[in-house]
Amino acid sequence: SSGINAEWPLRPGLAKSIGKILKELTKLKRNESLIPWKQSIINHFWFSCRNSAGDPQKLIQTFHSFLLHISNSHKWTTGTFSKMRGENLFPNFSQVVKCAHGKLQKIQLRRGAWIDRKSETFSELFDKITNKQLSEDMMHCSEFLHTGSIENYHNVRLKYLPKRIAFSRETTAIRSMIAIIETNRNIPTTTSSLQEPKMYVRYSKASAKWILRKESKKKDYTYRGEILSKIEAHFFNGTFEFADMTEYVP
């Protein structure tokens, strides 16, 4: 009624909760058909958050749509699962009525590890994953808020200010500035973020399977040369002077 929406930063905890549900279900032999879908379902949670465009309903409906995908249904009506959910609020497909992927090839449809919607496995998964509390918690993540940017800065800062070494206040201030410049220089631009990232395949010993990874871009360190050029220019022009650090060092 107040019009205030409590938005949470994305936490690995929610993905872990989904992973825990799947882990408990796949411990039972009758649910082994879920095993190939475990990581895909967790990935789909992140996809749903990122593509919700700030709409909590779109987020939760996109996430719950995986229940249809794994049962080989890629288009559906708004009333799908109405009997199965009973008086529960979820899932409710008022906006999302098809999968986000394109048309599947015949070989994909034939080889897909589809789960029968009438099976006990599907019923158990449905009840656990459409839990009211879990679903409402997910809806608070529709703005896709996360602390990735600040974590990235602190990683860069640790490179210039390792905790095992003690620095003076002046040195700490200057090295922090360098970390800020480097972080800002390497923030993806709007154009680069829209470009399709280059991917490569790598074998993971931990999961014992091949996984797709995003190719990391080389960092831009040209600011270092620019700083040195400015120092040289001031030095040879006779305008070089030590900076007043009282503003940064109490």
Side-chain angles (χ1 to χ4, degrees):
S1 59
S2 63
I4 298 173
N5 177 41
E7 190 69 22
W8 297 349
L10 276 172
R11 301 167 300 170
L14 275 174
K16 285 182 180 178
S17 296
I18 298 166
K20 189 176 180 181
I21 289 170
L22 297 171
K23 185 179 179 180
E24 289 300 315
L25 288 173
T26 51
K27 280 181 179 179
L28 303 173
K29 186 170 179 61
R30 66 170 181 267
N31 295 331
E32 61 184 8
S33 58
L34 264 179
I35 294 174
W37 293 105
K38 282 172 65 178
Q39 190 56 51
S40 296
I41 292 170
I42 295 170
N43 290 347
H44 186 64
F45 163 69
W46 296 112
F47 170 84
S48 303
C49 293
R50 185 171 187 173
N51 292 277
S52 63
D55 186 343
Q57 280 298 328
K58 185 179 179 183
L59 187 158
I60 198 62
Q61 290 180 37
T62 301
F63 177 69
H64 284 155
S65 70
F66 88 82
L67 290 165
L68 288 137
H69 177 83
I70 66 173
S71 60
N72 198 18
S73 295
H74 310 288
K75 287 184 179 180
W76 53 90
T77 61
T78 55
T80 303
F81 290 138
S82 56
K83 289 183 179 179
M84 198 168 182
R85 75 167 186 262
E87 296 181 359
N88 295 329
L89 295 173
F90 306 101
N92 175 27
F93 298 107
S94 59
Q95 297 180 37
V96 181
V97 290
K98 66 177 181 178
C99 290
H101 60 73
K103 186 177 180 180
L104 297 179
Q105 301 296 319
K106 287 183 179 180
I107 192 169
Q108 291 175 302
L109 293 169
R110 189 169 62 250
R111 293 182 177 179
W114 311 118
I115 299 174
D116 187 348
R117 230 187 280 185
K118 295 178 181 179
S119 67
E120 191 175 350
T121 296
F122 188 88
S123 180
E124 285 186 68
L125 176 65
F126 183 92
D127 291 340
K128 297 279 187 183
I129 219 74
T130 60
N131 173 274
K132 183 175 182 287
Q133 187 62 60
L134 178 64
S135 299
E136 289 180 347
D137 285 351
M138 287 185 195
M139 291 171 72
H140 286 286
C141 300
S142 60
E143 294 293 341
F144 199 58
L145 303 177
H146 56 85
T147 56
S149 297
I150 192 68
E151 288 171 11
N152 180 50
Y153 162 68
H154 281 292
N155 286 336
V156 176
R157 193 172 186 270
L158 280 172
K159 181 171 71 174
Y160 295 105
L161 288 163
K163 292 181 179 180
R164 65 181 181 275
I165 302 174
F167 297 97
S168 66
R169 290 188 175 184
E170 291 83 357
T171 303
T172 300
I174 293 170
R175 285 175 174 254
S176 296
M177 292 175 193
I178 294 172
I180 292 168
I181 294 169
E182 185 171 311
T183 302
N184 290 341
R185 275 295 181 93
N186 289 280
I187 293 174
T189 60
T190 305
T191 306
S192 65
S193 62
L194 292 173
Q195 293 174 346
E196 195 71 26
K198 292 183 180 179
M199 310 295 286
Y200 68 95
V201 179
R202 185 178 71 83
Y203 185 76
S204 169
K205 290 183 178 179
S207 59
K209 60 182 180 181
W210 292 92
I211 54 175
L212 201 61
R213 290 284 189 189
K214 188 187 295 185
E215 189 177 282
S216 57
K217 293 182 179 180
K218 290 184 178 180
K219 296 190 77 171
D220 179 8
Y221 293 109
T222 55
Y223 73 90
R224 295 177 178 176
E226 292 168 10
I227 291 173
L228 287 173
S229 296
K230 288 180 180 179
I231 292 172
E232 287 178 356
H234 281 295
F235 183 80
F236 289 114
N237 293 335
T239 56
F240 181 84
E241 59 181 31
F242 288 101
D244 181 7
M245 297 297 293
T246 55
E247 182 181 349
Y248 309 101
V249 182

